[in-house]
Amino acid sequence: MTKLETYFQNAQDLDTYISEMKENQEGLLKIYESFTVPEDDSRIEQVKQKSYRKVLAISEDWCGDAMMNIAILKHISELLDLEVRVFHRDQDTDLIDQYLTNGKARAIPIFVFLNDQYEQENVWGPRAKAAQVFVEETRKKLLPDKDDENYDEAVQQAHVVISNRFKTDSNLWKEVYNSIMNKLLNP
């Protein structure tokens, strides 16, 4: 099995990943520019005491969750002075297969927090609980049965609704921020 260090070294640095995005770059940058880290967050100093130094983010440009979550991760990484590299999920599925959601889904993004020796210290992803609830409720409301002839069209409509909310809901961004920070404090 390939070591996390090898994946990290073969991944793109975060700024290069963002600059090369084709589908969700505008949304990611809008979220990044609009989100502000809470000034009075006591967790920041606590997390700085941990051994996190690097983040291996498993992602793809087309993913709406990644668009929102990576924008928030960028703020966190700047705050904590973490080096972030992005490994494309579909480039080598052996990596994502180590982090399957519910034991079966290659859901992204996944953030693997590493120490200086490239050892895994913590893992977060693919969604904050509040985002998961929103996505589940939206799908329940908008999607017919899978055998319905309009199912594929409804899936596309649901993706648009979800993506638009991810791009505009500052409360959801705070939920993502809090979810990541709480996870970093409590592995």
Side-chain angles (χ1 to χ4, degrees):
M1 184 183 318
T2 306
K3 291 183 170 186
L4 290 173
E5 179 178 3
T6 302
Y7 285 115
F8 188 86
Q9 297 301 340
N10 290 322
Q12 289 180 298
D13 68 85
L14 182 57
D15 290 333
T16 301
Y17 172 78
I18 293 170
S19 72
E20 292 181 359
M21 291 177 75
K22 303 281 188 256
E23 294 182 48
N24 281 312
Q25 180 188 61
E26 185 178 325
L28 186 150
L29 291 173
K30 179 182 181 280
I31 294 165
Y32 176 77
E33 291 163 5
S34 301
F35 178 74
T36 304
V37 172
E39 291 180 26
D40 58 347
D41 189 349
S42 62
R43 296 172 296 183
I44 295 167
E45 289 306 315
Q46 292 175 286
V47 173
K48 283 183 178 180
Q49 303 305 312
K50 302 278 187 177
S51 59
Y52 308 123
R53 299 296 174 261
K54 302 167 186 346
V55 184
L56 178 59
I58 307 168
S59 186
E60 289 288 348
D61 178 11
W62 48 259
C63 178
D65 286 291
M67 170 190 65
M68 177 175 61
N69 297 335
I70 287 179
I72 305 306
L73 176 67
K74 183 168 171 51
H75 277 284
I76 292 170
S77 68
E78 292 166 352
L79 202 65
L80 301 175
D81 195 30
L82 301 174
E83 180 183 0
V84 180
R85 296 214 172 190
V86 181
F87 190 86
H88 294 264
R89 180 193 76 172
D90 299 336
Q91 180 180 334
D92 179 348
T93 55
D94 287 345
L95 178 60
I96 191 64
D97 286 350
Q98 296 174 49
Y99 301 99
L100 296 176
T101 301
N102 299 324
K104 60 184 176 189
R106 291 178 172 160
I108 52 176
I110 298 293
F111 302 151
V112 184
F113 292 86
L114 308 168
N115 61 26
D116 281 330
Q117 291 74 45
Y118 300 93
E119 297 165 331
Q120 176 180 308
E121 295 286 332
N122 211 330
V123 177
W124 183 92
R127 286 190 183 119
K129 285 182 183 161
Q132 182 65 29
V133 168
F134 162 69
V135 168
E136 287 173 1
E137 288 174 354
T138 301
R139 287 181 177 161
K140 194 180 294 180
K141 200 176 353 176
L142 297 178
L143 297 183
D145 291 334
K146 287 189 177 188
D147 57 354
D148 187 298
E149 64 184 39
N150 297 317
Y151 180 79
D152 290 339
E153 184 178 318
V155 167
Q156 293 303 322
Q157 179 186 9
H159 283 289
V160 169
V161 169
I162 291 166
S163 179
N164 286 340
R165 176 86 176 265
F166 284 176
K167 291 176 190 175
T168 58
D169 188 340
S170 62
N171 288 323
L172 212 46
W173 306 340
K174 289 175 192 166
E175 292 287 343
V176 170
Y177 171 80
N178 285 326
S179 177
I180 294 170
M181 291 298 289
N182 288 336
K183 180 68 174 177
L184 291 177
L185 274 180
N186 303 300

